[in-house]
Amino acid sequence: VVLALEVPNGFTRLLRLSLSTAAVLLVARLVLILAPVTLHRLLHRAGTGQAAHTGLTGRLAAYQPLLRAMLRIAIGFATVLGLLEVWGVPVLSWLLQAELGARLLRTLWSIAFTIGLAVGLWEVANLAVERHLARLAASAQPARSARLRTLLPMLRTALLVTICVIVALIVLSEIGLNIAPLLAGAGVLGVAIGFGSQRLVQDVITGLFLLLENVMQVGDVVTLAGMSGRVENLSIRTIRLRAMDGSMHIVPFSA
């Protein structure tokens, strides 16, 4: 093609372009080889010592595949940008100087920061709960530990749903969508669900306060809704009561 078109300094430019492309690909390949090893060492070092006793090692190991995938995507994106710059396409200057490129970078940074903050908040809450459970187990308080484990699934689910909803609304707002109709629709839907499941909400709220106040524990002999027996299980909504004749009664907290 260079010979046919008689491009001025064509072979020199072709050689320089080929060498630059090879250099970018070589650097990208080296980074792709070294980055996962470095990431593994950092996570292993962060998960040793005191962190190993708090459950941090398992959580870091769970995030390792996701971090590797994100690292590969970042390296691939940087490689594409480097190749475009080498081939004469000014992508970096467009991203840094043009109004649309700067807005795109700000949006991506805001979304990444929001997701990272949400994940950090979720992990801090989980680590705090696990440390508290470990302290209760070490201080020989099985009743409080069992009560907290009863409440834990509901608290985790509520926290996860709250975080996901807030992150989704922030992301939609950052990409330019109007979230006011979504908030209004969610409010109407929440009111409808609240009216339709009043007994369930009453069970959960009453059970939450009864468990927090430690009104009864597994093994207590109590009288509930006119039935007497021994408490065999406490959930967030019901109590399983074993009567003296051996029959099992499931009593909702609202009763």
Side-chain angles (χ1 to χ4, degrees), residues 119-136:
V119 173
L121 179 62
W122 170 253
E123 290 303 323
V124 167
N126 284 324
L127 286 177
V129 171
E130 290 179 0
R131 287 185 179 181
H132 187 62
L133 288 174
R135 284 197 298 267
L136 292 179

Side-chain angles (χ1 to χ4, degrees), residues 39-40 42-44 46-47 55-70 119 122-123 126-127 130:
L39 176 64
H40 177 74
L42 291 176
L43 294 178
H44 179 72
L56 184 60
T57 306
R59 296 198 169 276
L60 290 177
Y63 281 101
Q64 189 169 349
L66 178 61
L67 291 177
R68 283 184 175 180
M70 293 174 60
V119 173
W122 170 253
E123 290 303 323
N126 284 324
L127 286 177
E130 290 179 0

Side-chain angles (χ1 to χ4, degrees), residues 126-247:
N126 284 324
L127 286 177
V129 171
E130 290 179 0
R131 287 185 179 181
H132 187 62
L133 288 174
R135 284 197 298 267
L136 292 179
S139 59
Q141 299 182 14
R144 293 183 62 187
S145 178
R147 187 167 67 253
L148 182 58
R149 291 185 185 277
T150 302
L151 295 171
L152 193 57
M154 188 196 68
L155 296 178
R156 277 181 170 171
T157 302
L159 179 61
L160 181 61
V161 170
T162 303
I163 291 175
C164 290
V165 169
I166 293 175
V167 170
L169 291 177
I170 293 176
V171 169
L172 291 177
S173 177
E174 285 294 330
I175 62 178
L177 294 180
N178 186 11
I179 62 174
L182 293 177
L183 293 176
V188 173
L189 182 62
V191 171
I193 293 177
F195 278 113
S197 57
Q198 292 183 13
R199 181 56 61 88
L200 177 62
V201 174
Q202 186 179 359
D203 288 340
V204 172
I205 294 178
T206 307
L208 178 63
F209 281 102
L210 288 176
L211 290 172
L212 288 176
E213 295 172 0
N214 197 18
V215 175
M216 68 187 73
Q217 299 179 3
V218 174
D220 292 345
V221 177
V222 296
T223 299
L224 303 173
M227 295 174 289
S228 299
R230 185 180 302 275
V231 178
E232 286 200 348
N233 184 43
L234 289 170
S235 68
I236 194 61
R237 194 181 66 87
T238 59
I239 304 171
R240 292 187 181 182
L241 198 66
R242 179 72 65 179
M244 300 307 173
D245 59 357
S247 58

